[in-house]
Amino acid sequence: SRRQVRCNCIFVDLASSFDSWLQQGPRVGPLQSTCLTLVPSTQLARHWLQHHRGLSRLGLSTIMGRTSVSSRASLASLHRAKLAHTLKKRRSCGRSAARAAKIPRTVASSRPKFHLIYSTNWVYKGKLDPSIPQMLQEVTRQINAKVPLCCELTDLNFAGLLARTARSEGFDVVRWPIRSQAQWLEVGEAARSGRMLPGPAAVLMHSWHGSYEKECVPAWDFYPVLEAIKARHLLLYPSAPLDRLHSEKRYTSALMPPTKFVHLVRTPGSSAGWQVKGHGKNPVSKVVAEAVSALRKEAAAADLPLDNVMVKQGLSWGGDAVTRLLPKDVPDYVKSRVVPKIPAQANELTVLIQAKIDLVSELRWVILNGELRGRGWVTLHNPRLGCRAVTGGYKNEANCRTALEKSGFIDGAESRKALEESMRPKVEQVLAEAVADAGGEVPQYLRVDLLLDRQGRAWLGERESWGADLIKNQDNPLGRTNPNKSELASAIVARASRDLKKRKRQAA
């Protein structure tokens, strides 16, 4: 077909552009602002073909440089493959229709509902290096469009997996695709009015101080809708009692480094505009200066020099709104760099001023249904003064282990595992704190990030519920996560099934 021939032509153009670009000299680095790294053309082609299964072997061969023209034999093979795929799809649809015809409408409609709210707004809005060939830019843009901003459990692949798992357990999956503000607000109205029929709900989206982009929704629109859903439905994702507490970074822990919370609130009709909650009409800079002074005393008591501090903002992730500063620069930074950039629709923001520790590595530990599961080392490099943490880049598992060896904490696999196990009680302590914050309810999913300093002390870096990425098991040759996505989907649906059985018993 014309579309298939056009795709092959695109691959030919991409291959020639990419090869000529590579001949200009070695360039290995980020293609754009996210963490995508330039890969060889063969690897890029395989990634591309994973998302376009209908393309023939010709496309892959073209990118790999094996051919530069589309021969008649290759096109004939392409048409035969497409025809076979079409016939197989029609037979599959026919069997599905036959199975559906055997199910009486009354039976199908009486199945319990499983509401799945997910994003279809997968558009890449980032900027690319203009020196990259145009065809390579287009491929990069389409690949990055599928990468979530916040969490891998919000993409279309996991949404599909969750839907299939729910249907296999007898649920009637009701899809609520979201692409715009109007569609998101309509979901809230459906929940309030009762048009969203009874049944558990999974909202595979997250809040932030930005626009409607991919799976992210502005916080001022997000939480009113989420509250409307959880008022009448079992909220499976995100965590009903913990999501807002975690997203806004308002939780506390005995394992945190010395920290001061500055809760900024907008004062309607006030000339000051923004004030610090609980501090009357005192200027923001004055309150922040007092917080830094108090932090200095707490840091000294914890044997931490307050040479630098980390300023963290709520409703952000990945070190994007975490800045390393000198203590004396913090009041002016909050006043002139944080407050003016708060969106006009937002009415509050929590800012953390935290003593910076001398970090060696960060251990991330995943908890599912109260059980400690996979763990791994991932650490941000030390950012320069005045820069965001994300600009330092990440150290992977191998580099983290090297840092642990150089610091004398481990000398091999056995000592590393012993070090990790020694930190288990602290993870359990953070879990207990989360259970208390959730009113006694054990969070279904939790990730605890512990920071190991040069004195061997473990501090809490982050405590996250749903919305935290999984950890790859580095001891597994396949590098799979523990738990994997299938286990998570099964756990979510199992919780919905338990709730359904409980309601049936209560009704009886």
Side-chain angles (χ1 to χ4, degrees):
S1 67
R2 292 181 181 178
R3 181 180 179 185
Q4 292 156 356
V5 174
R6 179 175 176 271
C7 285
N8 285 304
C9 293
I10 288 175
F11 280 141
V12 173
D13 294 340
L14 172 60
S16 59
S17 300
F18 188 56
D19 290 339
S20 63
W21 184 65
L22 285 180
Q23 289 173 5
Q24 298 174 11
R27 292 187 189 184
V28 179
L31 288 179
Q32 32 73 35
S33 58
T34 63
C35 296
L36 180 66
T37 302
L38 180 60
V39 294
S41 55
T42 302
Q43 211 171 340
L44 179 62
R46 294 187 186 281
H47 195 159
W48 175 256
L49 289 174
Q50 286 177 1
H51 296 89
H52 297 77
R53 297 179 182 176
L55 298 178
S56 70
R57 298 174 183 172
L58 176 63
L60 180 57
S61 299
T62 302
I63 291 186
M64 293 172 66
R66 296 175 184 170
T67 179
S68 59
V69 295
S70 299
S71 65
R72 291 183 179 180
S74 298
L75 286 175
S77 175
L78 172 66
H79 291 313
R80 285 196 298 270
K82 178 63 177 178
L83 179 60
H85 175 75
T86 303
L87 292 175
K88 182 179 179 181
K89 187 175 181 180
R90 287 179 179 175
R91 286 195 297 268
S92 176
C93 292
R95 288 193 295 268
S96 298
R99 285 195 299 267
K102 295 179 182 179
I103 302 176
R105 288 182 178 273
T106 54
V107 175
S109 62
S110 64
R111 288 183 294 166
K113 305 299 179 187
F114 186 102
H115 297 283
L116 183 60
I117 300 99
Y118 62 100
S119 173
T120 57
N121 187 28
W122 297 99
V123 178
Y124 177 64
K125 297 182 179 180
K127 294 182 179 180
L128 299 177
D129 185 349
S131 67
I132 299 173
Q134 186 63 35
M135 297 305 302
L136 187 56
Q137 288 188 39
E138 183 61 28
V139 172
T140 304
R141 189 173 288 107
Q142 295 196 32
I143 292 176
N144 278 273
K146 302 177 185 297
V147 179
L149 293 171
C150 175
C151 174
E152 60 187 317
L153 300 181
T154 58
D155 64 14
L156 290 176
N157 290 331
F158 188 74
L161 174 62
L162 190 56
R164 292 192 298 273
T165 306
R167 279 195 295 267
S168 70
E169 294 298 321
F171 284 96
D172 180 18
V173 178
V174 182
R175 291 176 176 265
W176 301 81
I178 306 297
R179 193 176 182 85
S180 64
Q181 180 187 37
Q183 290 177 321
W184 173 253
L185 298 179
E186 178 64 21
V187 170
E189 183 56 33
R192 296 184 192 96
S193 65
R195 285 192 291 113
M196 181 180 284
L197 298 178
V203 184
L204 303 184
M205 306 183 81
H206 288 287
S207 61
W208 72 339
H209 269 181
S211 60
Y212 283 82
E213 186 174 350
K214 293 188 176 181
E215 82 279 22
C216 294
V217 175
W220 47 90
D221 284 349
F222 184 81
Y223 287 111
V225 172
L226 200 70
E227 292 295 327
I229 294 173
K230 76 179 187 180
R232 298 194 176 192
H233 304 263
L234 172 66
L235 187 61
L236 301 169
Y237 186 112
S239 171
L242 293 177
D243 178 73
R244 189 163 191 172
L245 190 68
H246 287 170
S247 296
E248 295 180 351
K249 300 191 188 309
R250 291 186 290 105
Y251 62 92
T252 61
S253 170
L255 291 178
M256 272 186 172
T259 304
K260 289 298 178 182
F261 293 83
V262 178
H263 301 289
L264 297 171
V265 293
R266 192 188 299 273
T267 308
S270 170
S271 58
W274 287 90
Q275 296 177 349
V276 179
K277 187 176 181 180
H279 291 267
K281 296 183 179 181
N282 289 328
V284 171
S285 57
K286 179 182 178 181
V287 176
V288 172
E290 293 172 352
V292 172
S293 178
L295 181 65
R296 189 180 297 279
K297 297 177 181 178
E298 293 181 10
D303 194 24
L304 284 173
L306 201 69
D307 300 328
N308 298 162
V309 297
M310 305 301 290
V311 178
K312 304 180 179 181
Q313 298 179 43
L315 295 165
S316 66
W317 51 81
D320 190 58
V322 179
T323 308
R324 178 187 173 197
L325 296 169
L326 293 172
K328 67 182 182 63
D329 296 334
V330 175
D332 182 66
Y333 177 83
V334 174
K335 178 184 176 181
S336 60
R337 299 284 296 277
V338 174
V339 172
K341 292 183 180 180
I342 302 176
Q345 301 92 330
N347 291 318
E348 57 183 347
L349 176 68
T350 296
V351 177
L352 281 68
I353 306 171
Q354 196 169 78
K356 184 184 180 303
I357 68 172
D358 193 3
L359 179 64
V360 176
S361 281
E362 176 180 339
L363 177 65
R364 298 182 174 183
W365 210 316
V366 173
I367 304 170
L368 180 63
N369 291 328
E371 178 188 357
L372 276 64
R373 297 289 297 271
R375 63 198 185 201
W377 297 88
V378 181
T379 310
L380 278 164
H381 284 283
N382 201 22
R384 291 182 298 175
L385 272 171
C387 294
R388 294 175 300 150
V390 71
T391 61
Y394 279 89
K395 287 192 289 187
N396 60 17
E397 177 92 13
N399 290 334
C400 287
R401 293 182 183 182
T402 300
L404 290 171
E405 290 176 355
K406 288 182 177 179
S407 299
F409 289 110
I410 64 172
D411 55 11
E414 293 301 320
S415 58
R416 173 180 56 80
K417 292 177 181 178
L419 173 64
E420 293 170 356
E421 284 299 323
S422 70
M423 298 167 75
R424 178 183 289 270
K426 295 186 181 297
V427 178
E428 294 171 341
Q429 178 182 344
V430 176
L431 172 61
E433 292 171 341
V435 171
D437 287 340
E441 177 184 332
V442 177
Q444 184 165 39
Y445 180 87
L446 202 70
R447 200 186 77 191
V448 176
D449 302 346
L450 293 179
L451 310 176
L452 184 69
D453 70 10
R454 296 197 180 278
Q455 298 182 42
R457 297 177 296 182
W459 306 87
L460 178 63
E462 291 280 355
R463 187 189 84 188
E464 303 180 74
S465 49
W466 290 117
D469 284 335
L470 296 167
I471 301 298
K472 287 187 177 180
N473 185 353
Q474 299 297 326
D475 293 325
N476 186 324
L478 299 178
R480 297 191 66 184
T481 59
N482 177 21
N484 58 43
K485 292 182 180 179
S486 296
E487 287 183 87
L488 289 178
S490 298
I492 291 173
V493 175
R495 183 183 170 205
S497 298
R498 290 194 300 270
D499 181 74
L500 179 63
K501 292 177 182 177
K502 178 181 177 181
R503 291 177 186 273
K504 286 182 177 179
R505 288 196 301 268
Q506 292 175 345

